[in-house]
Amino acid sequence: MKLSRPVTTLLNAYALLLAFILIWPVLQVVLTSFTSDIVFPPQHWSLNAFNEVLWPGYVQALIFSLKLALSVTALLMLICVPAAYAMQRRRFPGRALLSVLIFVPIIFPVVTYSSAIRVYVFMFFSDWRGSFWLIAIVTAMWPIPLVVRSIQGSLANVDPVYEEAALMMGASPMRTFFKITLPLIGPGLITAAMIGFTSAATTFTVPYILGSNEPTISLYIFRDVGRIGFTPWIAVEVLVMEIVVLGIVQLLYLVFRKQFRGIFA
């Protein structure tokens, strides 16, 4: 059905308004980073904020966040690829229930299960408090539904006939999965990895509640805001975090896109 011109114009204006609302906070951070005040429109352009950042501590927190993000991404792939494959390709009792339960981490706020885990760990496993792998495991819980659905979407678009042909020619199920299925669901894997990496690199709630032994970059910025308020210095910290995280995500996408050239073409 063809939409009338006024309706099309209205929808385009609505889409542009939503895009502006989403982009505006980023633009404000960029503008504030290159000024000496936080008013809009900027009145005094300056690079002094870049000199005020305590770069050694900031870089250490950023490296810790990237390390956490890579570990969480690896955990998500190990957990979600088999789960997505089982729910999409296999039929077993409780499959429908599992498809519903997998959304539990999104239904409940992160603070809910983070607080519950904190109480449990503090009561029975005090040695784990603030440990890296505890933070990584709990951080990986929230993106699980998104990662599983992303991989399932790719599996749904891959005809099982390719896997069946490989099995009929004598390939083992494991060899078929790694040689046939895994390359074919490349787009879903890349998307899933991006979701997991981005959410973990910028995580705040889990390290804050569980008391991470080292601050993540979000926690580092939060502490600076609590100490001095929002200033151009803080805007620089946020801007650098966004550039690094999104830059790595884009770089990973470009690298792996070459590996799956035939699928993306």
Side-chain angles (χ1 to χ4, degrees):
M1 180 180 68
K2 187 176 181 180
L3 299 176
S4 63
R5 186 182 183 89
V7 173
T8 303
T9 303
L10 183 62
L11 290 175
N12 289 337
Y14 178 68
L16 289 173
L17 178 61
L18 287 180
F20 177 77
I21 292 173
L22 293 173
I23 294 174
W24 174 248
V26 178
L27 293 178
Q28 183 63 53
V29 166
V30 174
L31 292 174
T32 305
S33 298
F34 295 94
T35 65
S36 58
D37 50 40
I38 55 173
V39 299
F40 184 85
Q43 298 178 359
H44 306 286
W45 299 100
S46 173
L47 296 177
N48 290 337
F50 287 84
N51 296 324
E52 296 174 357
V53 177
L54 301 178
W55 290 110
Y58 180 85
V59 171
Q60 184 177 354
L62 183 60
I63 292 174
F64 178 77
S65 289
L66 296 179
K67 178 183 175 182
L68 178 66
L70 290 173
S71 301
V72 169
T73 303
L75 281 173
L76 287 170
M77 292 298 103
L78 290 174
I79 295 170
C80 297
V81 171
Y85 184 85
M87 288 192 292
Q88 186 64 34
R89 288 284 194 264
R90 298 287 182 262
R91 298 293 181 268
F92 54 88
R95 177 173 173 267
L97 179 61
L98 180 60
S99 298
V100 174
L101 291 178
I102 204 166
F103 279 98
V104 169
I106 283 185
I107 295 173
F108 292 100
V110 178
V111 67
T112 303
Y113 56 80
S114 296
S115 300
I117 293 173
R118 174 189 171 96
V119 172
Y120 184 81
V121 168
F122 275 45
M123 288 178 61
F124 301 104
F125 302 97
S126 58
D127 292 341
W128 295 4
R129 288 186 295 180
S131 66
F132 176 83
W133 284 109
L134 175 64
I135 303 298
I137 291 171
V138 180
T139 300
M141 293 175 64
W142 186 86
I144 284 178
L146 302 178
V147 172
V148 169
R149 289 306 184 192
S150 175
I151 299 172
Q152 269 191 282
S154 284
L155 283 167
N157 292 325
V158 173
D159 196 332
V161 69
Y162 298 109
E163 300 168 45
E164 295 170 359
L167 292 171
M168 290 179 62
M169 295 178 67
S172 65
M174 191 66 68
R175 182 178 177 83
T176 299
F177 178 78
F178 282 102
K179 293 293 185 179
I180 305 297
T181 308
L182 212 55
L184 289 176
I185 62 173
L189 293 177
I190 294 172
T191 303
M194 289 179 179
I195 293 171
F197 182 88
T198 305
S199 65
T202 57
T203 186
F204 167 79
T205 306
V206 172
Y208 179 75
I209 292 179
L210 295 182
S212 176
N213 292 333
E214 293 185 54
T216 60
I217 190 63
S218 297
L219 193 55
Y220 184 92
I221 294 173
F222 173 77
R223 291 174 179 173
D224 278 352
V225 172
R227 189 170 65 253
I228 63 174
F230 186 78
T231 65
W233 167 9
I234 302 299
V236 169
E237 293 183 346
V238 175
L239 178 63
V240 173
M241 176 189 71
E242 292 178 347
I243 291 174
V244 171
V245 173
L246 295 180
I248 291 176
V249 169
Q250 186 64 29
L251 179 63
L252 290 174
Y253 171 74
L254 293 175
V255 169
F256 284 102
R257 183 175 181 176
K258 294 179 181 179
Q259 303 301 321
F260 298 102
R261 188 180 295 109
I263 297 175
F264 282 98

